Amino acid sequence: MRSDTIKRGVERAPHRALLYATGITRKDLDKPFIGVATSFTDIVPGHVHMRGLERFIERGISAGGGVPFLFGVPAICDGIAMGHKGMHYSLASRELIADTIECMAEAHCFDGLVLLTNCDKITPGMLMGAARLDIPAIVITAGPMSSGRYKGERLNYGDCYIAAAKHKMGEISAGELEAWEANACPGPGSCQGLYTANTMACLTEAMGMSLPGCGTALAISAEKQGIAFNSGRRITALIEEELTTRKILSAEAIRNAIRVDNALGGSTNTVLHILAIAREAKVELSMDVFDEISKRTPHITNLLPFGPGYMEDLDQAGGIPGVLNVISKSLESNPTVSGKDIKVVAREGKVLDREVIRSVENPYHPEGGIAILKGNLAPEGAVVKQSAVYPEMMIFKGKVRVFESEEKATEAIVEGKITSGAVVVIRCEGPRGGPGMREMLYPTSFIFGMGLATKVALITDGRFSGATQGLSIGHISPEAMEGGPIAIVQDGDEISIDIPNRKLELNISGEEIKNRLRKWKAPEPKIKEGYLARYAKMVTSASTGAVFKEE
């Protein structure tokens, strides 16, 4: 066992002395040492209930014959960080989490890992760390939140952005807004729709890194507690079987995850995260693969933010095993932490509600949720959630309004300065320029709330929340800070968007683009000290997952 490095031999007497100080016994030295990475915190709704799940994990590890050792990792709530300086740190924290997993597991020679996680950057960060280490690991995503209720209607977190816009327009009172915000999030769990947190939980299950049912089982449920216990017990078997992370996170598993992502119509942020996970797993992957798979994968669920369904509906309809069952013919064989091949999990899956999880013959859309656009505005690619775009906006042409930050764009939208036919361009918000590639949920929500969702497009080198809907195109690569074409777009230019043909074009001549680029000068970094300044120097393009440079 890896842990023998710190517990075997005469020269390890000092190490054993320190281990005894933690309360373990001499008999425990014969057992596998299991690191339990937990992202528990009192400020993130998706994590506040993790103390109870930690107990079930510990009990499971003990039942399986292992010794659990808990340690913490950072957890940032994208919703609380949204719309201010805090959002710069969200994506950047993903690399910190992966590094923390590596540091703790290597320094203490853990034989295996149990990863208790939830929410946007934490889950991919933990998967990246496990893939980098390539030791046995199992993931428990802590589950989605139940729906809120107000005046007999279901509410979700994303409704509060719409309510804020309606209040600013005078459509609802301050008291009504307060009622919405008081009832939208009734308790622990990741936000109720198919936003980034829940999309990543579903894809973790689809890749085989969590037990069947884990991705959709609600945060406050006996089922989630049972999954936590069984995951803890299962890790010792993975160690005995020598089933390490990269044996599960294969090229086949990555492609299966992309298939499920497109079938669900998940968040565009998964493109960043799957690229980053694949890199740590030593799997070659490009953005083009997402588009290739999208064209062959029908969109079979219709969940928030664009559709009416909640995660609780998907769970009750059969969860990810049900989705896998529907698309089983396209799946590739791959092992999972359950000990079953993913094709067996798919075969055993059942669809209990054919409206929530449709058949491939009767999909919501014939293509998957994600489309990759290219053109002279985005030579390396851009990402759009096409399943959340209104049909009349799939092909769009408009005049540009350029903004150098999210705040300036939001201000213009709220003040009514954006009118029908506009293409709002927000730049200098990419991985380097942001830094941290902030999510643009405020401007997209105000566009929707002010009735412009079928009249205005939004384009950015930043990214979007999984709660975004409408014609919102992100991840423009290269970004403005790197001198990509988005850097030289001017007010009054015309941009053409053609999602069916995957085109994104700035309608000026190639010669004019070259002339503008020759005159362009990189702007001053927005943040010049601390972690974000270091992050900006090290991070790569969104087209490669916004990972750190290798050198």
Side-chain angles (χ1 to χ4, degrees):
M1 292 187 290
R2 276 168 49 96
S3 58
D4 287 347
T5 303
I6 60 171
K7 62 189 184 185
R8 299 295 177 205
V10 174
E11 70 279 8
R12 298 306 185 202
H15 301 67
R16 290 191 291 273
L18 292 170
L19 289 169
Y20 291 146
T22 69
I24 71 169
T25 67
R26 186 172 292 276
K27 287 185 177 180
D28 287 334
L29 297 178
D30 296 325
K31 302 174 183 177
F33 280 11
I34 310 299
V36 181
T38 172
S39 54
F40 165 78
T41 172
D42 283 324
I43 197 168
V44 182
H47 302 239
V48 293
H49 62 302
M50 286 183 176
R51 280 289 179 251
L53 294 176
E54 289 168 6
R55 301 288 82 80
F56 281 93
I57 292 168
E58 288 180 306
R59 287 164 54 185
I61 290 171
S62 297
V67 183
F69 296 93
L70 272 70
F71 65 92
V73 303
I76 290 174
C77 176
D78 280 24
I80 296 173
M82 192 75 67
H84 58 87
K85 184 180 179 180
M87 182 48 70
H88 289 290
Y89 289 90
S90 178
L91 181 61
S93 72
R94 186 188 69 183
E95 316 309 308
L96 279 179
I97 292 164
D99 289 349
T100 300
I101 300 290
E102 176 193 350
C103 289
M104 290 297 292
E106 292 286 68
H108 301 106
C109 302
F110 292 135
D111 297 299
L113 289 169
V114 177
L115 308 171
L116 177 59
T117 174
N118 225 12
C119 298
D120 305 52
K121 311 308 161 301
I122 300 96
T123 299
M126 288 202 183
L127 285 166
M128 290 164 65
R132 185 184 304 170
L133 292 163
D134 194 27
I135 63 176
I138 192 167
V139 179
I140 302 108
T141 49
M145 185 186 294
S146 299
S147 59
R149 292 288 193 281
Y150 179 58
K151 292 184 175 179
E153 300 291 332
R154 288 201 293 187
L155 279 184
N156 70 90
Y157 155 74
D159 287 331
C160 293
Y161 287 90
I162 308 303
K166 289 181 178 297
H167 175 58
K168 281 188 173 290
M169 295 174 66
E171 294 182 12
I172 63 173
S173 67
E176 192 78 356
L177 174 61
E178 185 177 333
W180 281 45
E181 64 190 54
N183 290 281
C185 299
S190 48
C191 299
Q192 303 104 320
L194 194 62
Y195 311 142
T196 308
N198 290 322
T199 305
M200 281 308 307
C202 292
L203 301 195
T204 299
E205 183 179 335
M207 285 186 281
M209 285 299 297
S210 58
L211 293 179
C214 186
T216 60
L218 293 179
I220 303 301
S221 67
E223 181 185 10
K224 182 64 72 178
Q225 293 172 335
I227 288 170
F229 175 84
N230 289 328
S231 297
R233 185 169 57 182
R234 177 65 183 152
I235 188 63
T236 53
L238 295 176
I239 293 168
E240 292 173 4
E241 297 164 12
E242 298 182 346
L243 188 54
T244 60
T245 300
R246 287 186 202 165
K247 292 177 181 176
I248 295 173
L249 287 180
S250 63
E252 291 80 7
I254 296 293
R255 289 193 292 269
N256 285 338
I258 296 171
R259 291 182 179 98
V260 170
D261 193 5
N262 276 288
L264 291 171
S267 166
T268 54
N269 287 314
T270 57
V271 177
L272 288 173
H273 300 322
I274 296 298
L275 285 167
I277 293 165
R279 183 203 191 199
E280 295 288 1
K282 309 300 182 187
V283 173
E284 291 289 331
L285 185 67
S286 73
M287 288 176 69
D288 294 336
V289 176
F290 289 83
D291 204 56
E292 292 165 7
I293 290 177
S294 176
K295 290 176 179 177
R296 302 193 302 268
T297 306
H299 174 220
I300 60 173
T301 71
N302 196 26
L303 308 181
L304 293 167
F306 194 70
Y310 284 61
M311 288 301 295
E312 60 195 43
D313 301 323
L314 178 60
D315 185 54
Q316 293 165 13
I320 297 307
V323 173
L324 293 169
N325 181 274
V326 172
I327 64 168
S328 59
K329 289 183 179 178
S330 66
L331 294 175
E332 298 177 67
S333 181
N334 199 74
T336 73
V337 292
S338 70
K340 300 176 181 178
D341 190 277
I342 195 69
K343 282 182 165 287
V344 175
V345 175
R347 188 164 61 246
E348 294 176 350
K350 292 180 173 59
V351 178
L352 305 177
D353 188 329
R354 283 291 178 184
E355 186 59 22
V356 176
I357 305 174
R358 289 190 175 182
S359 67
V360 294
E361 294 80 20
N362 181 38
Y364 284 98
H365 299 100
E367 290 187 355
I370 289 174
I372 306 299
L373 311 183
K374 290 188 177 182
N376 64 3
L377 188 57
E380 294 177 5
V383 183
V384 64
K385 186 173 181 178
Q386 64 172 341
S387 58
V389 176
Y390 294 92
E392 61 266 41
M393 296 291 284
M394 293 293 282
I395 298 175
F396 185 81
K397 184 186 294 183
K399 295 294 184 180
V400 168
R401 287 293 309 276
V402 180
F403 300 93
E404 305 297 336
S405 71
E406 175 192 8
E407 290 85 355
K408 292 178 181 178
T410 301
E411 182 181 345
I413 295 165
V414 171
E415 292 178 356
K417 295 179 180 178
I418 302 301
T419 57
S420 178
V423 177
V424 177
V425 173
I426 306 177
R427 65 187 176 204
C428 297
E429 291 285 7
R432 284 180 57 193
M437 209 177 178
R438 291 192 294 172
E439 293 181 345
M440 305 287 146
L441 185 53
Y442 268 97
T444 58
S445 294
F446 281 115
I447 285 172
F448 181 86
M450 298 179 76
L452 295 172
T454 59
K455 303 170 184 176
V456 169
L458 197 155
I459 292 174
T460 180
D461 55 5
R463 59 195 178 92
F464 295 107
S465 163
T468 293
Q469 56 180 302
L471 183 48
S472 305
I473 301 170
H475 307 200
I476 301 289
S477 301
E479 64 174 293
M481 198 68 173
E482 292 183 315
I486 192 173
I488 52 85
V489 175
Q490 299 176 359
D491 280 345
D493 286 344
E494 185 181 75
I495 288 177
S496 295
I497 301 162
D498 185 343
I499 295 176
N501 291 303
R502 307 304 200 249
K503 292 291 185 181
L504 181 60
E505 297 286 342
L506 176 61
N507 294 333
I508 62 176
S509 69
E511 188 61 33
E512 176 63 15
I513 291 175
K514 290 178 183 178
N515 288 337
R516 292 186 190 182
L517 286 172
R518 276 195 293 267
K519 298 174 184 177
W520 176 81
K521 292 183 180 178
E524 283 288 309
K526 295 178 183 176
I527 297 175
K528 300 180 180 180
E529 59 184 17
Y531 175 61
L532 288 174
R534 296 196 303 275
Y535 177 86
K537 293 176 182 177
M538 298 172 66
V539 72
T540 64
S541 170
S543 64
T544 57
V547 295
F548 280 167
K549 298 172 185 174
E550 292 186 358
E551 62 270 17

